[in-house]
């Protein structure tokens, strides 16, 4: 078990098995020394931990919780692709979508749940460029969907 996996274990976080995609895509794609992840949602044990729109059914704190769980799932994808999360040299870019009402404008605060967690796990290597975009719907009524691009050793 790598250093990052040990750190996650001490944080009480267990990475789950990456589920088989529900459509025609792969969970991650390696191009040179970059890994692109497909969009992930906030499932735990096969079920969304939260459903709905920010600004209607959910508040910022719940959105941050969902965003953190999305990153936990992305880390599982990266571990499957790389064998060990220690192979991550740095997180480069995050593209995040927030299922929001038309009036909700706090998407960056929701996605801080994901960004803060990456810095907690990887330290300075977890700091990244980012876009936090509001959208009127997301698959399966997930509140957050995130993609990452990481540089690997």
């Amino acid at each position: 078990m790598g250093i990052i996996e040990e750190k996650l274990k001490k944080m009480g976080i267990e990475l789950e098995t990456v589920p088989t995609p529900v459509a025609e895509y792969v969970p991650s794609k390696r191009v040179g020394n970059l890994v692109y992840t497909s969009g992930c949602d906030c499932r735990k044990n096969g079920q969304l931990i939260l459903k709905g729109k920010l600004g209607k059914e959910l508040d910022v704190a719940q959105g941050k919780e969902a965003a953190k769980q999305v990153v936990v799932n992305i880390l599982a994808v990266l571990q499957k692709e790389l064998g060990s999360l220690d192979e991550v040299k740095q997180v480069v870019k995050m593209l995040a979508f927030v299922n929001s009402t038309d009036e909700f404008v706090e998407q960056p605060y929701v996605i801080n749940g994901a960004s803060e967690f990456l810095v907690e796990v990887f330290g300075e290597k977890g700091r990244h460029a980012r876009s936090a975009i509001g959208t009127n719907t997301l698959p399966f009524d997930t509140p957050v969907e995130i993609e990452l691009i990481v540089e690997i050793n």
Side-chain angles (χ1 to χ4, degrees):
M1 186 177 294
I3 294 168
I4 298 296
E5 286 86 359
E6 281 289 334
K7 186 173 192 176
L8 290 170
K9 186 176 178 182
K10 287 178 184 172
M11 296 167 77
I13 295 170
E14 184 177 328
L15 300 180
E16 296 182 12
T17 302
V18 176
T20 302
V22 297
E24 189 57 46
Y25 67 93
V26 293
S28 60
K29 186 76 166 182
R30 194 183 308 204
V31 179
N33 65 339
L34 298 175
V35 175
Y36 295 75
T37 70
S38 292
C40 288
D41 61 23
C42 64
R43 291 178 197 271
K44 189 171 186 176
N45 299 318
Q47 301 295 319
L48 292 172
I49 63 167
L50 293 163
K51 285 186 173 187
K53 289 188 182 298
L54 277 290
K56 186 176 180 186
E57 294 92 1
L58 303 172
D59 62 22
V60 170
Q62 291 169 306
K64 285 181 78 168
E65 176 187 354
K68 178 180 176 181
Q69 182 60 44
V70 173
V71 170
V72 169
N73 294 339
I74 290 172
L75 293 180
V77 169
L78 290 170
Q79 183 185 48
K80 181 179 179 184
E81 176 72 32
L82 302 172
S84 171
L85 293 173
D86 292 349
E87 293 301 312
V88 173
K89 185 174 182 180
Q90 67 176 328
V91 180
V92 177
K93 171 79 171 154
M94 175 186 291
L95 176 59
F97 300 93
V98 180
N99 188 357
S100 309
T101 63
D102 289 344
E103 300 76 27
F104 187 81
V105 295
E106 298 182 72
Q107 291 84 359
Y109 302 118
V110 169
I111 300 308
N112 276 347
S115 294
E116 291 165 356
F117 182 63
L118 283 169
V119 172
E120 185 178 358
V121 171
F122 291 105
E124 284 301 310
K125 297 187 313 183
R127 294 199 188 284
H128 51 275
R130 173 181 103 174
S131 298
I133 300 167
T135 184
N136 68 330
T137 188
L138 285 171
F140 311 109
D141 205 23
T142 186
V144 178
E145 182 173 336
I146 298 174
E147 302 174 4
L148 277 187
I149 302 169
V150 300
E151 183 182 17
I152 58 175
N153 293 316

